[in-house]
Amino acid sequence: MTKASTPAVSGTAGPAITTEAAGAPAAPGGSGAPGAGDGAVVHHHGSVLGPLGLFTVLLGAALPLIDFFIVNVALPTIEHDLDASPAVLELVVAGYGLSYAVLLVLGGRLGDMFGRRRLFIAGMAAFGLTSLACGLAPDAWSLVGARVAQGAASALMLPQVLATIHSSTTGHRRARALSMYGATAGLSMVAGQILGGVLVAADIGGSGWRAIFLVNVPVALVGLFLAVRSVPETRSQAPAPIDVPGTALLAASLTSLLLPLTEGRASGWPAWTWVSLAAFPFLAYALYQVERRADRAGRTPLVPPSLFQLVPLRRGLVLIVPFSIGFGGFMFVFTVALQQGLGMGAVAAGVALVPLAVGFFAASLSGPRLVLRLGSRVVALGGVLQALGLALLAYQVWRDWPSLGTLALLPGTALAGLGQGLQLPVLFRIVLSDVPAERAGVGSGVMVTTQQSMLALGVATLGSLFLTLSGTGSPHMGHALAVTLLTQLGLVALTALLALRLPRQMA
């Protein structure tokens, strides 16, 4: 595999500038078209990401993912306090997810242009302000608007995390940092629902559901203080202009897919949802043609088709699709089944996910050592463990529902968490392994957009399957949950089989 050149290290803590123009990999594909942000990568404020800087960017990675899931357990109290309809409640979730997914690649491009540290700080500040707006929202539609803005802030901040790691670390340090990113991503998605349940139940100062947003404000202030002191600046020396047609078509295509899938069920599947879904393939094809034409003409498209000629990136993204659909659907369906089917409170439902979080974290930390021995086969091993966990959960649900207890769920959730923790960090590493440092922002933006879109797609598809099978009462939820878990098991098996096609040796 081709590796990006090692960043030179500035000898001072001040604004000394170093470049890595020499030896930078050429844009893939041999077309002669420049890649996103082609040119040397400029580093200052210290060009190596230290432990405190890594902690800071991982904090920035955790916040957007936590807030994607944290709102789920608070929806009943939001509905009661703000007199929100089911369709508006769906928009509280979908508004954040849509703006987040649609703007992620643009956020990566802006980081390449104006500096990843600068965009990270701007995104962190905007995230804190929009979280405050969410927590103080006087009515449901104000909350929807604030959530859309919060998603946009997340899209500015999150792509800079992977791009900074990719541009300011190499070798073992990069592999370890990516493993920690994967652990952070997985834990954040689980911790969001656990933390949401705890904060809503605690009702701090009578804040109720508002605490799930207001808690972000002091955290964002700490993140800003640390970022100014510890995060190195990296950016392209030859920034490309914004690709307006590509940005518009990417936004239109993702919206046409995700909005009807997330809003359709609550709205009763009106005609516009089917028209929107029918338009998706045409918009996606138009995006591909416009970006390919720009790439061949020597311009820099938002999503360069030549980037997909990197085999590890292409194969890794194919694996992220079924993994993320299953993970997103599992987190939604499992929580709904525990709360509505078994009558658990928000805190108890969160506690049931603790074994999954512990297993995920332990596997993520041990992943780099296993990769040294097994290479990419770690992904297939993780698939086997996750499949065993899901099969065990499905069997327990089928046998014991509705008298199923938290302890009975522990073995299955722990095994599933171990498998997921072995897979996700390694998939991130595979996707970015051959991406040149000067294209790190676009590469990470494409990867995170794929992940985020598929998480939302999993909630919409597996969630709709579960809710359709469960009908109106909890007696049918056991059957619905078992069928949904077995459907996810099929996605896990597909991920494991595709992983066997990966080259065993990893960069």
Side-chain angles (χ1 to χ4, degrees), residues 208-273:
W209 59 269
R210 298 180 187 274
I212 67 174
F213 300 116
L214 296 177
V215 72
N216 292 331
V217 178
V219 177
L221 289 173
V222 171
L224 285 171
F225 173 77
L226 294 176
V228 170
R229 297 174 61 88
S230 63
V231 176
E233 180 67 286
T234 63
R235 65 175 178 270
S236 172
Q237 195 176 42
I242 296 298
D243 175 16
V244 176
T247 301
L249 282 169
L250 178 65
S253 58
L254 287 177
T255 301
S256 70
L257 174 66
L258 296 178
L259 183 60
L261 288 176
T262 52
E263 188 69 9
R265 183 179 56 85
S267 303
W269 297 104
W272 71 263
T273 59

Side-chain angles (χ1 to χ4, degrees), residues 418-453:
L418 281 170
Q420 292 162 350
L422 287 178
Q423 291 178 296
L424 190 60
V426 179
L427 289 178
F428 287 158
R429 181 175 168 185
I430 289 170
V431 170
L432 296 177
S433 60
D434 271 7
V435 176
E438 69 273 11
R439 308 179 88 182
V442 174
S444 60
V446 168
M447 186 185 75
V448 178
T449 297
T450 302
Q451 180 200 21
Q452 179 63 37
S453 301

Side-chain angles (χ1 to χ4, degrees), residues 172 179 362 364-375 378 429:
H172 176 71
S179 294
S364 297
L365 294 183
S366 64
R369 291 191 296 273
L370 287 174
V371 166
L372 291 176
R373 297 175 58 187
L374 302 176
V378 169
R429 181 175 168 185

Side-chain angles (χ1 to χ4, degrees), residues 102-435:
V102 162
L103 297 173
L104 273 166
V105 178
L106 179 61
R109 168 63 62 83
L110 291 174
D112 288 347
M113 292 174 62
F114 299 111
R116 291 151 191 157
R117 175 178 178 269
R118 181 179 299 175
L119 265 292
F120 180 83
I121 290 172
M124 180 74 77
F127 187 84
L129 290 172
T130 53
S131 295
L132 180 64
C134 289
L136 300 179
D139 54 58
W141 284 107
S142 298
L143 179 58
V144 170
R147 283 283 284 174
V148 171
Q150 190 187 36
S154 297
L156 282 182
M157 178 168 57
L158 188 62
Q160 319 315 327
V161 175
L162 279 170
T164 298
I165 290 173
H166 194 66
S167 298
S168 55
T169 61
T170 55
H172 176 71
R173 292 181 65 250
R174 179 184 293 175
R176 186 170 182 272
L178 287 174
S179 294
M180 294 182 70
Y181 175 87
T184 301
L187 282 174
S188 298
M189 291 185 277
V190 179
Q193 298 191 173
I194 298 173
L195 181 62
V198 170
L199 289 173
V200 171
D203 193 22
I204 303 169
S207 59
W209 59 269
R210 298 180 187 274
I212 67 174
F213 300 116
L214 296 177
V215 72
N216 292 331
V217 178
V219 177
L221 289 173
V222 171
L224 285 171
F225 173 77
L226 294 176
V228 170
R229 297 174 61 88
S230 63
V231 176
E233 180 67 286
T234 63
R235 65 175 178 270
S236 172
Q237 195 176 42
I242 296 298
D243 175 16
V244 176
T247 301
L249 282 169
L250 178 65
S253 58
L254 287 177
T255 301
S256 70
L257 174 66
L258 296 178
L259 183 60
L261 288 176
T262 52
E263 188 69 9
R265 183 179 56 85
S267 303
W269 297 104
W272 71 263
T273 59
W274 300 108
V275 172
S276 181
L277 287 172
F280 168 70
F282 298 99
L283 290 169
Y285 180 74
L287 171 65
Y288 171 73
Q289 290 295 334
V290 166
E291 299 297 84
R292 187 177 69 165
R293 198 172 298 122
D295 211 0
R296 289 178 171 177
R299 300 190 300 273
T300 305
L302 183 71
V303 185
S306 58
L307 194 67
F308 292 92
Q309 295 180 22
L310 294 170
V311 175
L313 180 138
R314 189 171 65 244
R315 290 183 176 175
L317 289 179
V318 168
L319 286 163
I320 283 176
V321 168
F323 177 91
S324 298
I325 291 174
F327 192 98
F330 174 84
M331 295 301 298
F332 173 77
V333 167
F334 197 66
T335 304
V336 171
L338 294 184
Q339 290 183 288
Q340 296 185 9
L342 298 181
M344 291 185 181
V347 175
V351 169
L353 289 170
V354 168
L356 187 144
V358 172
F360 194 107
F361 185 69
S364 297
L365 294 183
S366 64
R369 291 191 296 273
L370 287 174
V371 166
L372 291 176
R373 297 175 58 187
L374 302 176
S376 65
R377 295 295 183 266
V378 169
V379 180
L381 174 62
V384 172
L385 290 176
Q386 189 182 358
L388 289 174
L390 292 174
L392 183 56
L393 282 174
Y395 172 72
Q396 290 170 324
V397 168
W398 173 77
R399 186 187 66 180
D400 297 334
W401 192 275
S403 59
L404 195 61
T406 303
L407 286 178
L409 297 171
L410 192 152
T413 52
L415 269 176
L418 281 170
Q420 292 162 350
L422 287 178
Q423 291 178 296
L424 190 60
V426 179
L427 289 178
F428 287 158
R429 181 175 168 185
I430 289 170
V431 170
L432 296 177
S433 60
D434 271 7
V435 176

